[in-house]
């Protein structure tokens, strides 16, 4: 089984920055795709960014130019650098992963972390 553990959430003022981390452990394979999702109260879970095993990256339009996803394969850790944060970025942020070519639909991902709260005021 794969375990994903997020960290780095917190409270920040609008315009500030945070960096989220997601440590992966367990059986992942060379074609493991990882992504960040978020869910605000009363809203559906939405994809924020994903990084394929070949390094291909995609972002939700709402975060393009502000957020950067990256991965350190040696540390099995996924990151999300969030700059120019807005109140509408407030949500519980989840790390997710799965083997194969992924997409931004939550239902595709078999592995999930427990989430880390980001609050922007």
């Amino acid at each position: 089984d794969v375990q994903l553990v997020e960290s780095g959430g917190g409270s920040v003022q609008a315009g500030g920055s945070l960096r989220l981390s997601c440590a992966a452990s367990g059986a992942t394979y060379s074609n493991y795709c990882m992504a960040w999702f978020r869910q605000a109260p009363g809203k559906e879970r939405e994809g924020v960014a994903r990084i394929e095993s070949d390094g291909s990256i995609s972002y939700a339009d709402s975060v393009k130019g502000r957020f950067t996803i990256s991965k350190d394969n040696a540390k099995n850790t996924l990151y999300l650098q969030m700059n120019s944060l807005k109140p509408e970025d407030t949500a519980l942020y989840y790390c997710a992963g799965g083997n194969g070519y992924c997409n931004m639909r939550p239902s595709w991902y078999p592995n999930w972390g427990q989430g880390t709260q980001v609050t922007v005021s």
Side-chain angles (χ1 to χ4, degrees), residues 19-86:
R19 189 175 82 152
L20 306 183
S21 300
C22 172
S25 61
T28 62
Y29 298 95
S30 60
N31 62 343
Y32 198 71
C33 173
M34 298 187 76
W36 288 99
F37 287 81
R38 66 185 182 186
Q39 188 165 19
K43 294 188 177 181
E44 292 186 353
R45 192 168 297 189
E46 64 172 350
V48 175
R50 76 174 190 270
I51 183 166
E52 305 266 5
S53 57
D54 65 359
S56 300
I57 288 173
S58 63
Y59 296 97
D61 288 343
S62 58
V63 305
K64 280 181 182 177
R66 300 188 299 122
F67 291 10
T68 302
I69 189 172
S70 61
K71 188 169 64 169
D72 185 330
N73 290 324
K75 296 182 178 179
N76 284 334
T77 301
L78 180 73
Y79 301 99
L80 186 68
Q81 177 66 44
M82 304 185 295
N83 299 328
S84 302
L85 282 161
K86 305 175 181 180

